[in-house]
Amino acid sequence: MSELTDEIRRRRTFAIVSHPDAGKTTLTEKLLLFGGAIHVAGAVKSNKIKKTATSDWMEIEKQRGISVATSVMGFEYDGYKINILDTPGHRDFAEDTYRTLTAVDSVIIVVDTAKGVEAQTRKLMEVCRMRKTPVMIFVNKMDREGKDPFDLLDELEQELQISVRPLSWPIDRGVKFKGVYNIYEKKLDLYTPSKQKITESIAFKDVSNPELEKYIGTDLAGQLRADLELIEGVYPEFDVNTYLKGDAAPVFFGSALNNFGVKELLDCFVHIAPSPRPVTAEEREVNPEDAFAGFIFKIHANMDPNHRSCIAFLKICSGKFERNTNYKHVRFNKMMKFSSTTAFMAQKKETVDEAFAGDIVGLPDTGNFKIGDTLTSGEELHFKGLPSFSPEMFKYIENADPMKAKQLNKGIDQLMDEGVAQLFINQYNGRKIIGTVGQLQFEVIQYRLLHEYGAQCKWEPIGLYKACWIESDSPEALDNFKKRKYQYIAKDKQDRDVFLADSNYVLQMAQQDFPDIRFHFSSEF
Ligand code: G4P
């Protein structure tokens, strides 16, 4: 096998996602401990954005600064190179999370055993489903009272709309939690609360062996046998290919806080999770072993006002990236080379000379990059699949300092390129509308416009329900629709037509009255 193939095959690039508080940070930390990337528990805790009140967003930005280091966490484990892409916990930065999901090859979803599937998990799963991303589920907090595991599996299947297949099974739960039976490896893992070291597994191929009673007692042994029998009867045999196609999710149970069930998850994960997969560009399908190509999925601003520089995060889709080598910036049709390229190993940033498909490299950016920009060895490629979703909150943005109109426009332009929020221009009155997922983003924009561009903005309310991208096979129908709804038509930053619906009712009526128009809630269609 060539070095390139070898390097690509051992890469696992993924994100851990959850509704806030389900245990994403704790699980990430435990995975880093296994990889030897950190040595003490608590090291990842600084990224507690979600815990901060909305009004305290300066603190949030400070923490966001810290979180550059934890944006990508790379480490070696058992011969694999693992890249965990962090996603912001705060729901107001959900758009960041969606974009990060375009740069991963698989996802681990963490679910709280007591709370089950929560709002944000559902939304994130929608994105995974859209992209057919393979998903694994970790049911966390088994040391606490929670739902019946069979009920939980039903809930996962229904709410996340994916077939599930348990690969481990809990033995009791809450204070009586005894451990899990690892169906995947046929091992018994017994639980000791607050144990800091890795669980010792007992190989246990045949649960009918009376030895089982010795470990977990007669009642639980009987229960476990019955449960496993039911699982075999109800759930189809685990098939890696259905997982890889994004059609079925293996489920593990454990307690991240107690470091229980985490190693089992990781061991199974490295075996079955995909290495970098082919990525579809507009021109062709790009295979990981092709010549170098990658795209920018995230831009992180430096919050130090004296030093306006950003880091652009490049996901390498194919080939090998080398420092100080000329690559084509496709949008500029220009060759560029980078001398300071950052790799993210553990929580340190360090300069790298080379990186491979699956890896993320940080490039210093002084305004050259937009989200979605492609870099290649020379070929003209445009990667698809960086969707924008209809924002949930909208405001008109107005200039509050007439002397600084130019600065304001430049600031808005650049912040939108960075993906901070979405901009729509109302075609009727020419006013600029900013769409976000949460209030916090408006505050971030206002602050950054002032501190980085010296521009002052003010917000004016606009009663909007959704922005939908519209298209039609019939240019006349589209034209007619735009004429009829002329006050509610906008263009997004890519100059695509957008319908601004001020209520759900209006949207439904429009869908009913204009059957030739397709309304899309994400920009990828
Ligand atoms: P998040 O990143 O998904 O938002 O969740 P995070 O890991 O921060 O975990 C949320 C809370 O749940 C934390 O408690 C954490 O200690 C706790 N937790 C995580 N895994 C487990 C588990 O397996 N069992 C139990 N019982 N609790 C778990 P906290 O009190 O909010 O924070 P902290 O003071 O412990 O840091």
Side-chain angles (χ1 to χ4, degrees):
M1 226 188 298
S2 72
E3 185 209 3
L4 180 66
T5 313
D6 208 24
E7 286 295 342
I8 293 170
R9 288 206 182 152
R10 69 185 199 91
R11 272 162 170 75
R12 300 285 181 273
T13 302
F14 72 106
I16 304 178
V17 300
S18 75
H19 191 87
D21 268 348
K24 177 175 78 80
T25 314
T26 314
L27 180 64
T28 308
E29 182 175 283
K30 293 292 145 67
L31 294 178
L32 293 180
L33 280 167
F34 282 125
I38 53 168
H39 300 288
V40 283
V44 188
K45 287 282 170 184
S46 53
N47 194 11
K48 276 263 165 181
I49 293 175
K50 66 198 163 65
K51 291 275 159 79
T52 320
T54 311
S55 57
D56 197 11
W57 76 268
M58 262 311 290
E59 185 54 28
I60 290 167
E61 275 308 312
K62 227 165 63 203
Q63 295 185 11
R64 241 159 81 89
I66 298 167
S67 75
V68 174
T70 57
S71 288
V72 181
M73 290 159 281
F75 62 91
E76 299 274 340
Y77 177 78
D78 204 15
Y80 294 92
K81 164 79 192 295
I82 302 197
N83 295 312
I84 306 181
L85 273 57
D86 193 24
T87 54
H90 200 293
R91 79 170 283 286
D92 286 11
F93 294 112
E95 189 85 22
D96 260 16
T97 303
Y98 304 150
R99 264 196 305 267
T100 299
L101 292 182
T102 64
V104 300
D105 298 303
S106 67
V107 161
I108 293 179
I109 296 180
V110 185
V111 172
D112 183 323
T113 180
K115 296 190 178 139
V117 176
E118 295 172 88
Q120 213 156 306
T121 325
R122 218 173 282 125
K123 183 93 206 212
L124 291 163
M125 183 64 212
E126 248 173 65
V127 181
C128 295
R129 217 178 309 113
M130 236 168 86
R131 309 181 53 81
K132 292 261 163 211
T133 310
V135 162
M136 231 182 221
I137 299 171
F138 183 71
V139 178
N140 191 28
K141 308 197 187 178
M142 289 308 295
D143 58 313
R144 288 212 188 141
E145 293 308 319
K147 301 190 179 188
D148 172 80
F150 280 110
D151 290 349
L152 198 60
L153 289 180
D154 286 349
E155 181 178 332
L156 290 169
E157 212 153 52
Q158 275 167 21
E159 298 276 334
L160 300 180
Q161 293 172 41
I162 187 163
S163 316
V164 294
R165 175 52 159 111
L167 287 188
S168 81
W169 194 251
I171 304 164
D172 223 331
R173 55 188 194 269
V175 283
K176 290 191 287 181
F177 183 50
K178 270 278 180 310
V180 296
Y181 181 69
N182 184 334
I183 302 172
Y184 184 65
E185 291 190 48
K186 302 214 180 313
K187 284 178 182 165
L188 186 64
D189 296 331
L190 295 178
Y191 171 70
T192 321
S194 302
K195 196 160 121 180
Q196 285 303 309
K197 58 181 200 246
I198 302 166
T199 329
E200 280 161 39
S201 304
I202 306 156
F204 216 98
K205 285 216 159 33
D206 179 9
V207 285
S208 62
N209 186 334
E211 284 278 299
L212 187 62
E213 269 79 354
K214 273 203 215 153
Y215 290 111
I216 58 175
T218 317
D219 291 355
L220 290 177
Q223 180 74 45
L224 178 64
R225 288 184 189 117
D227 285 355
L228 292 176
E229 206 170 304
L230 189 58
I231 291 168
E232 295 307 319
V234 172
Y235 296 96
E237 183 98 6
F238 174 63
D239 168 27
V240 173
N241 287 320
T242 50
Y243 156 70
L244 290 174
K245 278 196 241 150
D247 291 332
V251 181
F252 284 83
F253 292 83
S255 165
L257 188 64
N258 294 295
N259 208 352
F260 186 80
V262 177
K263 185 168 185 295
E264 291 67 27
L265 174 79
L266 181 60
D267 285 341
C268 174
F269 174 81
V270 291
H271 274 126
I272 68 169
S275 52
R277 306 192 296 168
V279 184
T280 312
E282 273 166 34
E283 293 77 3
R284 65 180 177 91
E285 188 167 79
V286 176
N287 281 303
E289 276 143 57
D290 293 349
F292 163 75
F295 66 88
I296 306 291
F297 69 96
K298 170 173 174 152
I299 295 174
H300 208 303
N302 184 341
M303 293 313 291
D304 176 358
N306 303 320
H307 193 245
R308 217 202 102 71
S309 70
C310 301
I311 298 183
F313 289 77
L314 172 78
K315 162 77 192 278
I316 305 176
C317 299
S318 60
K320 178 169 160 183
F321 173 92
E322 286 172 284
R323 196 161 78 91
N324 277 328
T325 303
N326 266 308
Y327 293 118
K328 181 169 173 172
H329 186 311
V330 173
R331 183 168 54 89
F332 287 171
N333 192 19
K334 191 174 101 182
M335 298 304 275
M336 288 174 85
K337 70 177 169 195
F338 304 90
S339 58
S340 79
T341 46
T342 315
F344 303 88
M345 283 306 281
Q347 292 182 294
K348 294 194 298 285
K349 293 192 290 168
E350 50 191 44
T351 304
V352 268
D353 292 323
E354 54 180 41
F356 298 88
D359 286 337
I360 314 294
V361 173
L363 305 175
D365 177 32
T366 47
N368 281 323
F369 290 115
K370 278 190 195 188
I371 300 272
D373 273 348
T374 306
L375 281 181
T376 69
S377 310
E379 196 180 342
E380 188 83 6
L381 285 177
H382 298 84
F383 286 102
K384 290 210 268 191
L386 287 156
S388 302
F389 294 88
S390 175
E392 287 162 34
M393 296 177 85
F394 302 86
K395 284 182 187 182
Y396 280 123
I397 184 165
E398 297 294 343
N399 188 5
D401 178 356
M403 305 297 287
K404 298 278 171 66
K406 235 166 96 181
Q407 284 86 336
L408 183 74
N409 287 334
K410 181 171 170 216
I412 295 177
D413 223 42
Q414 290 194 353
L415 292 184
M416 297 308 128
D417 284 349
E418 229 182 77
V420 175
Q422 294 179 56
L423 173 71
F424 303 99
I425 299 181
N426 186 318
Q427 297 301 287
Y428 170 62
N429 56 21
R431 291 178 79 181
K432 287 183 175 164
I433 299 165
I434 303 285
T436 69
V437 181
Q439 174 59 28
L440 197 55
Q441 280 164 288
F442 292 113
E443 295 173 34
V444 171
I445 292 167
Q446 189 160 22
Y447 178 90
R448 291 191 54 189
L449 285 172
L450 184 64
H451 288 83
E452 292 170 35
Y453 300 89
Q456 285 187 45
C457 75
K458 58 176 191 251
W459 302 107
E460 281 180 24
I462 170 170
L464 279 187
Y465 167 68
K466 273 216 157 84
C468 347
W469 287 267
I470 46 170
E471 59 161 0
S472 173
D473 294 331
S474 148
E476 300 81 50
L478 191 61
D479 238 29
N480 176 41
F481 179 78
K482 289 190 339 195
K483 276 198 192 109
R484 292 273 298 277
K485 299 279 178 193
Y486 67 99
Q487 284 173 307
Y488 303 98
I489 300 297
K491 292 272 190 194
D492 74 359
K493 214 157 176 278
Q494 280 77 44
D495 219 32
R496 288 174 295 203
D497 291 320
V498 172
F499 172 54
L500 307 169
D502 48 16
S503 71
N504 191 16
Y505 175 75
V506 166
L507 180 60
Q508 281 176 0
M509 290 312 285
Q511 284 170 318
Q512 199 176 310
D513 295 345
F514 298 89
D516 293 338
I517 307 287
R518 289 188 292 276
F519 298 82
H520 300 281
F521 299 99
S522 94
S523 65
E524 192 182 83
F525 45 83

